[in-house]
Every structure is written in structure tokens, then in C-alpha cells.
Amino acid sequence: MPHPENVVLCRESQVSTLQSLFGERHHFSFPSIFIYGHTASGKTYVTQTLLRSLELPHVFVNCVECFTLRLLLEQILNKLNHLASSEGECSAHITCETFNDFVRLFKQKITEAENLKDQTVYIVLDKAEYLRDMEANLLPGFLRLQELTDRNVTVIFLSEIVWEKFRPNTGCFEPFVLYFPDYSIGNLQKILSHDHPPEYSADFYAAYINILLGVFYTVCRDLKELRHLAVLNFPKYCEPVVKGEAGERDTRKLWRNIEPHLKKAMQTVYLREISSSQWEKLQKDDTDPGQLKGLSAYTHVELPYYSKFILIAAYLASYNPARTDKRFFLKHHGKIKKTSFLKKHEKTSNHLLGPKPFPLDRLLAILYSIVDSRVAPTANIFSQITSLVTLQLLTLVGHDDQLDGPKYKCTVSLDFIRAIARTVNFDIIKYLYDFL
Amino acid sequence: MATSSVSKGCFVFKPDFKKRKISVPIEDYFNKGKNASEDSKLRFETYQLIWQQMKSETERLQEELNKNLFDSLIEFLQTSHSGLRKNSKDWSCQIKLREIPTAALVLGVNVTDHDLTLRSLTEALQNNVTPYVVSLQAKDCPDMKHFLQKLFSQLMDCKVDVQSKEKESDRVTQKNVHYSMDSLSAWYMSITQKADPKVQRRKRTSWQCQSPPVVLVLKDVESFATKVLQDFITISSQHLHEFPLILIFGIATSPVVIHRLLPHAVSSLLCIELFQSLSCKEHLTAVLDKLLLTAEFPFKLSGKVLQTLTNIFLYHDFSIQNFIKGLQLSLLEHFYSQPLSVLCCNLPEAKRRIRFLSANQCENIRRLPSFRRYVEKQSSEKQVALLTSDRSLKEETQSLLENLHVYHTKYFLVLRCLHHFTSSLPKYPLGRQVRELYCACLEKSVWGSEEYASVLQLLRLLAKDELMAMLQNCLKVFQSSSAKELGNTAKKIEELLAQFQSLDETKEEEETSQSQSKELQKTDLYHLQKSLLEMKELRSTSKRRTRFEVLREQVVSFIDSLAREYLLPPDTQPLHETLYFSSAHTLRQHLNAAPRVALHTALNNPYYYLKNEALRSEEGLIPHVAPDVCIAYKLHLECSRLINLADWSEAFATVVTAAEKTDANSVTSEERNEIIHARFIRAVSELELLGFIKPTKQKTDHVARLTWGGC
């Protein structure tokens, strides 16, 4: 069994704090420990390796998976059961509906199990922020589980959110709060260099990691993501070495080879515009990644003719003040100057304020006046409005009182609507109040 | 149903079982057509036959169109997981994140059509990749619990199983289990271990490996709750090694929506690849090509009907399903309303049927406008024969019908040929798609239109290689058909092509003599058309034309003659009524309903629906006998946004009592006023229920109108 310090890099102080908190096996530990820190700052890893390497009895539960109270409690109990029965013999499934039952069953289990006596049992709740959305008694209950069950148990919470956001209004037992700070660039370098491929030397890989961090550190500090990217792009880095064009020490040459490649990766793979497997294929074929269009390149949406106009009408209704409709859609509106005509609050750009809700009738009125031919208010038109809502190009606002006339908002962007308007030869800018 | 009871109340009537059981055979509905029951059964059978043929044709077509997409998808699915499994000991695979393979399938905005595509996709996947294909809809999954529950139950269903007993016992135990990802992966473990020997025994080599992936299809991802989707992806990515999941997102708008739904933390768990289905407009073109632009099916649509159907498609829904439904409706309507539609079948069968036509049906033929027009053109003896003798009529009908079929075969060949010429012209005067050209040709004689004239003008400006390419395409069209009638035309085209080729050899001498004409060949920009035309006119008067120009003129006149000869509009053909469905109005009524207009008509002009002579009135007048709600409605049309209830009631009373003055003595006026008041209140509340008005707090004793204008 390796010593935890050797397996866990750059988390020495946290590990020693935890170790001293845990104490000896039979000691009562602190009732609840709250560990928080950013994504991929080693919370789960440290806790897990520590508990495993010290061979402490523990139950590890991920709260995302347990979306109901029952699931969560049953999973803890069943895992505990598994722990207690030690030798493979699988006992019956335990059902547990409430926290009260849980405490009772938990007590029973601990007393029954020979191998759990006289030592601290740890319950680790990963992604503890999900507990907040469950029953209100759950979090306070777990916090003082030791007191409630009167057994030697410690609950460890792992979360990305600070403790202050958890604390219920009614007050609760305060856990021991432990913060995992972000890895510094040096830490990242050390950790990433740790898992170098067997066929290359550690120094060579460390140099590569150095370049990688230089490109990506500004946008991404997620260790998992960085590791993933490192592996994805490593073959490209090795390419000159494999071909024999450069030696392993030829850092400058290697750098020149890899840097543009990494920058491209930042715009594509990192954003999931291109999938990793596609990226690998591109690397293998040595084609230009520019040829493969990412997901965002396909913004074009093909819509039926009237749907386009409905969307345009909705956009106009959302971004133009209702009072200006007369000016845009009546033939003899007279001359109204923008400045004198306006109330003060309307002077700010509507595009900065975002879309405003409008009633269905206004949408239809604008629609009738912007379509050249006569549009009959057929069922098809109404169903098109509804299907635009399901496509999330429009959203239904407020109450759903049909008699009062529903209200909508247009949620598409200016670029999108301009592209749509261009296909039907409609100059939307001319009709937008902001661009007058 | 009536009771003998005097008192008011609710009475339970048990359904009469005897009555229920007698179901009317479908073909009997055809009897109730307005034109008696001429061959109704036969018509129905013919309808069913033709519809079956059309349906199987469309299905085959759809399969063909989807094939490419499905093939690439299947390839993606097959490789995605096997790659991960294969080299799990490799250095890079240990470190790399395990991403869930995800296919983003862009299907277009016609969400109703997705079902069909996804269903056939499911079938294809089940045959080729894995038996475990599950599809979920957004409305089934408001939260994680339902999501997993649905997933679970569908997975149980798609388990291919020999021992159904075992399956049942499985299901019983599953009922008590709370659905979680753990239980899912446990289930998967048990299934794969159990299935192993079975798979090998049955030699299902197509599934490749012992652990087939589980494919989850999410229909219209846009409407999924983001939280559910995010949680599900997070959870399943943690279980990926024991539960090989593959996601397929059915996307209606654009793939950007994935980024909008999922934050980077979640989308980084996916390995997304994009697949795009055929655009629905191309799909429509293909369907039209196979169903209507062919002589294979005798049934045809008139120009108006086709226009209606394509308009609904292009303007409203983009749904191929709906288009085919509309086509089916017009087919049904045709056979239902036209007694002579018995003749709408393949030629030998139709000829046989003509022999057995009843006297009534012969009369029907004589009444056809197109037939009457035809008779009028005949000599007088023949006219008499046709109008009096059923036998000569039948003979004539046979030959006319045959002519009609021949007309169709030629028609579509020439249509395609003309399309090759018009489709590449600048600005597309006769449309880019063959369906637009077809519509234009159906409506009227196409050569009379302005667009056609401009097409000819533009053709006269084309360069040699363009003309030759077009001619070659046309030649292909003619050669592909087996019709002998147009053999001459093909020969003519070949000749023209040969002449163009020979032009190359003689070209050089011409170049020296007339270099000016070469300039003309090169410039064929549309906006220069006019000036060029003028120049050309000048030149043609002043100068001798080059050989190329002569040849070009020949081609144009050849095309023109083809169109004039074969593209006659169908309503010039006798007996076209038997094959063409032309009642666009009925179709529009059924497919493009206008609820607001119907409501307005009902309230504004009650005679339209009630057919009561007393309600017949001139425009603008309100008959006092009209239903109260109609009177109230008409009065409210005259008001502005806020309606004073007192005034309204007054007006209502005036209208209602207008004619009653003579017999007013029977009831006391007070009593009558009360009744009128009550009637008015009821009418107003009915209008409120219909959504025309609503109570308002802006002014006392007023109601607000919810519609604008006098409609």
C-alpha cells in the first residue's frame, strides 16, 4: 500500500488535515466535514484515495444519481450492507422511505455488523449541492448524523459551492469546512507531467505539457480537460520525432510545429465544435482542420415561407415599441421625428434591453402588413406560431389564459433574423426602431 | 334518445349493443356521394389499389433517400464504442476522458415528420447495430425519474427474447425496483452475460460483439428540460464503462442548440458528430417526381390542386407526411365525387371497364364538358352516333382514353426536356424546379405566357457549349424512356448535336470572316439582355447570320415546336375529367381550415350554415329572427375597443322588437323587456365564451373587445 502522499500530488496540506481529523480508527471523528473547491481540484480523488489507502470503512455516494430521497438513503444503506457482510454474501434489498427509517436502520446495521464496530464509518456525499433541492430535513439530518444515530459515523460532503450557500434558514450544526484551492500553474505542470507515456522520457513530455499550458492555461484550468487535450494532441507533437526530423531535445522546432495546431484545437475540440474522434482522424490524415465545419457553422435554419414572416413579425414586435408600429406600418403616418416622439426611457437601445413580450394580435397585425400577398388567418398560421414556440424560436410568456390572448417573446438574435429576412428579400433594418 | 320521464335530470342510457356491432363497410360510404351509386364499390376498390401502389412507391422512395444518412450513422455507431473497448490498455485511452458518442441528427423543422424517419432509423439500427434502441420524447420526461422509468421500460420491451416467461418474471421484479442508473447497468450486465451464448448460437454476427451498445434516441432535443438532459448526461457518463450508451439527438433547428442547452461542463462529456438529413424541399421534389410527374399512375392533379398542396407545404409546414396525406385526400375525393373515376386505372383495365359501362354512366360521359366540346367538333353524323348510340360512344371513349394515356407519356418526356432548358437560365423565368414548370403548363398553354417568351429570348443568347449540354440532357431523357412515339425527336436532337460538332471544324474560317459574333457568344449576362437584343436585331437586319446563329435558332424553334405540340394543357383533352382532380376548393377547406373566418361567417351570416330562408338578408342588415348571439355580434362589430353595455342592450332590444310591434299586445311590455334583457345577457356571455369580449376594469359598465376592425 503506497503512502497517500505519494499518490496524491500537490495536496499535501489537505491530506494531512484530513488525516489528523480522522484520527485513529476507533476515535470519534468530527461529525461532518464539508470540502469544497472548483471543478477538478482533487476533492473526490483525495477523499477516495485517502479512505481507500487507509482502509477505512466508507460509503461513497454521488448525489446526482440519487434524484430522490429514497434512492439516496437506500443506496447508502445497501452499500453499508455490502460493507458489513464483507464476504460476497448478498443480503436482501433494503427499502427505506424516510430519514427517520434511515436513522433506525443505520443504527441497526452498525450494531449488527461485527467488522464495523469500534471504528469510524465514513459516508461521502459527492456533489452535495444537489442535497439542497431535496427534502429540507435531509441536510441538517446528515450534518448531525453522529448525534442522531449515536454511532461512530462521519459524513463528508463534497461540493463546488461554498458552505454559506448551503446553510438553511433554520440553522443547523456547523460542519468542519475545508477548502481545496485551485491548482497553480506549477501544480498543473507537475500533475500533468506525472502521467507521461512509457515510450517517451519524462522530460520530453514535461516540455510538451509546458507548451500546452502556455496555450490553454488562460482559458481552461480544468485538470481533467487539460489531460484530455494533452493526450489528444500528443501524437502531433511527436510527429517530427517519429519522422526523424527533430530530436527529442529540439524544443524550438517542436514548439513551432505544435503551437498553431494547439491554437486551432482551442477553437474547435475544446469547445466541442468538433468531436475528439473527428479531431484524431484529422490528425491522422493530416488534413487542414479548417475544412471540417464545427457545430456552430450550421446556423442556417430552413423554415416555411410564412414561418419566416411570423418570426420577422415577432422580432419587430419584440424590439419595437408598440407606439411606433403606426410609423412603420401605416402608409400615411405623417412625419414623426425620432427625438421629439420619444419618451425618455425609450431612448435606450431596445437591443440592449432584450426582447419584450407582445400579444398575439399585434404579431398578426404586423404579419399582415409585412407580407405582400393576403394571408388568411388559417389554422395553419396558428399552428405555425405554436411550432415556432416548440422550436424555441419564440417563447410563450406569462399565464396561459387563452381568452386574454397569449403573449410571446422572440428569442432569436439579430444576426439570425437578418439571415432569415434576407432569404425573403425583406429589409428588416429599415423596420427596426433602433436603427432609425 | 328520449325518455318517458316528465322530470328533468340525468338519465343513463346503456349503449345498444346490437346497433354497435353493425359496422358499415367502408365502401358503403361511397354510396352517399351526390351522384347516386354508380359503380361505387368498383370505385372504392380502384381507389384502394391506386393508393396502395402510391404508398408503397413513397415508402420505397423514402427508404432510398434515407439510405445515405442511415449508412453513415450506422457506421458511426458501430465504430464509436468498439474503438473504446478495443485498446483500453493503451496509454492514451487510460487518460482520455470517456465521452459519450453522440450523433446530432439535423432533421429539419417539420417535427411531425421526424417520427417516421426515426422509426425507420430504429429499425435499421436494430437490424445492424444493436437490439437495444430506445427513443424518448420530451413530453415523457419532465424529470429524471420519469426519464429513467421510460428508458427502463422501453429497454425491457426491446429485449429480444426467446423465453417470454423469463421476461415476465423479470418484469415483476423490476416493478419494485426504483429506477436508477445503478439498476440499469445491473440489468445490462445480466442481459449481456445471459445473452452471450444465445447470440453466438444464433450467429448474429451483425451485432459484432458480446456487449451491444444501448442507443438512446432523443426526439426534438429543443424541448427537453435542460436540467434533466444535463443530469442524465452527467450520470450516464459516470456509468459509461458498464453501460455503453450512445445518444442520438433529433434536432429540428440547428446544431447550435446543443451549446445552448448544455453548459461546457456537460457538453465536454459528449463526443458529438453531426449528421444532416436531406432537405425537405429536395424530398418534395423527389416525391413529386415519382408520384405525379410520371405516366405510371393514371391519377393526376389539376394545376390549382397541385398549387394548393405545394403552397401548404412551402408556406406552412414543410411536412412531407402532410403533403402525402393531402394527395391521398384528393385521390379519395376524386373517386368519391366523380362517378366516371372508374376509368382512372391502367389502360387495358379501363378499356375492359368501358365495355361494361351502364347507360347511366354513358349519359355521364356525354355530360362531361370536355366531351361535349369534342363532339361539337365532329361531323354531324358522328355527333348523332355519339349522342344516341351507346356502342359507338363506348368505342370512341376507348380510343379517346388511349389518346389520353399516350398524351401523358409524351407530355412528361417533353416537360422534362423543356425543364432542362429552363432550369439553368438566369433568374429562372419558368422556375428552378420542375414542379413550377409543371404547374405553369397545367394552368394554361405555356407558350402564351410572358415567361415563356423570355425563356426563348434567353435561349437565343446561350453559348454553344451550354446549348450542347442541354441537348445532351434532353437526349438522355428521351433515350431513357421506352416510348417509341418520340423516337423521331431523339433523332432530331442527335442531328442537331452532330451539326454543333461539325461547327467546330468549320469554325475557323468563320472566325476570320465574322469575329464580331464571337463576342456575342461569350457574353450572356442577363442584365445586358436588352442591349444585346437590340444589337442582335440590328445585326440580323444588316448582316448575314453566322452558321452558329442559324443553328441556335433551329434549336430554339425545335424546342418551341415540341412544347406547342405536346405540352397542351390537360383541359383541352377530351375525357380529362376522369383522371384529373380539380376541386381545389374542397381540398383547401379540408387542409387549410380557417377557424376565425368560419366563426365570423357563422355569426355574421347565419344563413350560410343554418340554411333558413328567414335568415337570408342583404348585406349590413340584421334580421330580427337571427339567433341572439348573431345579433349581439353584429352590433358589437360597430363598436370601438370599449363597448358600453347599456347602449348595446338598447340596440339589441331595438333590433329584436323591430318586427314584433304588431303582436305586442299578447305579453305585457315589462315582462317582455325582462325576457329581452335575459336574452341579451346570455348572448353577451356567449360572446365572452367565444373570446370576442372580456370584462374590463377601465370603465364601469363596459366590456372590452378582443378583436379589431369590422372584420
Side-chain angles (χ1 to χ4, degrees), chain B residues 378-413:
Chain B
Q378 305 302 315
S379 61
S380 56
E381 304 101 68
K382 204 171 180 193
Q383 278 187 5
V384 174
L386 284 177
L387 292 179
T388 53
S389 147
D390 279 0
R391 243 196 67 202
S392 57
L393 174 81
K394 281 179 186 175
E395 274 166 18
E396 193 64 25
T397 315
Q398 281 185 343
S399 74
L400 283 179
L401 213 58
E402 195 172 333
N403 284 348
L404 198 58
H405 279 261
V406 172
Y407 158 79
H408 276 144
T409 34
K410 290 181 184 168
Y411 188 93
F412 291 115
L413 284 178

Side-chain angles (χ1 to χ4, degrees), chain B residues 552-564:
Chain B
R552 189 164 56 184
E553 197 52 47
Q554 266 182 27
V555 172
V556 172
S557 63
F558 164 69
I559 291 300
D560 191 35
S561 68
L562 266 188
R564 278 171 200 269

Side-chain angles (χ1 to χ4, degrees), chain A residues 13-171:
Chain A
S13 72
Q14 280 82 7
V15 168
S16 67
T17 318
L18 276 177
Q19 266 180 324
S20 52
L21 268 176
F22 291 168
E24 294 289 315
R25 278 176 169 268
H26 53 90
H27 283 170
F28 270 70
S29 172
F30 204 80
S32 46
I33 303 169
F34 185 86
I35 301 176
Y36 75 100
H38 264 158
T39 329
S41 51
K43 305 178 293 291
T44 313
Y45 180 68
V46 166
T47 326
Q48 215 157 17
T49 27
L50 201 59
L51 288 171
R52 271 207 199 122
S53 57
L54 297 174
E55 289 174 322
L56 298 169
H58 67 277
V59 174
F60 199 90
V61 178
N62 194 332
C63 292
V64 195
E65 286 177 41
C66 310
F67 39 88
T68 60
L69 174 69
R70 191 175 148 181
L71 270 180
L72 178 66
L73 299 181
E74 276 176 9
Q75 199 169 24
I76 296 175
L77 284 174
N78 281 314
K79 281 193 174 167
L80 196 71
N81 207 3
H82 208 71
L83 212 63
S85 58
S86 62
E87 299 303 306
E89 38 173 301
C90 203
S91 45
H93 187 85
I94 309 166
T95 49
C96 169
E97 300 269 358
T98 61
F99 199 75
N100 199 16
D101 282 348
F102 173 75
V103 172
R104 184 173 54 79
L105 287 166
F106 188 84
K107 253 155 101 175
Q108 197 184 321
K109 272 274 134 16
I110 297 284
T111 19
E112 272 172 18
E114 280 300 317
N115 52 353
L116 296 184
K117 249 178 208 168
D118 297 330
Q119 53 179 329
T120 323
V121 176
Y122 293 91
I123 297 176
V124 187
L125 300 172
D126 201 355
K127 296 246 179 350
E129 53 267 27
Y130 280 81
L131 288 178
R132 299 183 303 169
D133 303 330
M134 292 192 207
E135 278 77 350
N137 66 345
L138 198 59
L139 187 62
F142 271 124
L143 282 170
R144 54 197 331 152
L145 193 65
Q146 198 176 73
E147 185 186 327
L148 290 171
T149 54
D150 195 22
R151 295 292 179 276
N152 190 356
V153 59
T154 292
V155 183
I156 303 175
F157 299 89
L158 305 179
S159 172
E160 291 176 12
I161 300 177
V162 291
W163 165 246
E164 280 69 28
K165 300 271 178 192
F166 277 77
R167 196 179 284 136
N169 295 333
T170 44

